[in-house]
Amino acid sequence: MKIDERLNFFREPDNPYDEQAIVIKTENGVKIGYVPQSDNVIFARLMDAGKLVFGRISHKDKIGNWIKIDIKIFLHE
């Protein structure tokens, strides 16, 4: 994963843990995680209304075995 790489967002309304879930995937379709539940309500509503929401990697840090990714989120109209 590289800085400024595009990340695609997909709604996952049947997620058993969060009905507002949004999964994040790379352009190659690799699932890298979810939009945090505390931040996903507005984005889920926009996506449910047919809006295209996507992200770009703005910063990343390796923390132990994990990579923390900061994402800028965009709305395509």
Side-chain angles (χ1 to χ4, degrees), residues 11-22 37 40 44 48:
R11 282 284 283 117
E12 202 173 81
D14 296 331
N15 184 299
Y17 304 103
D18 179 9
E19 64 185 31
Q20 305 299 324
I22 301 171
Q37 188 173 8
N40 69 6
D48 290 347

Side-chain angles (χ1 to χ4, degrees), residues 39-56:
D39 298 326
N40 69 6
V41 174
I42 292 172
F43 301 122
R45 288 181 184 165
L46 287 167
M47 293 175 76
D48 290 347
K51 301 295 183 183
L52 175 62
V53 179
F54 65 95
R56 291 202 179 272

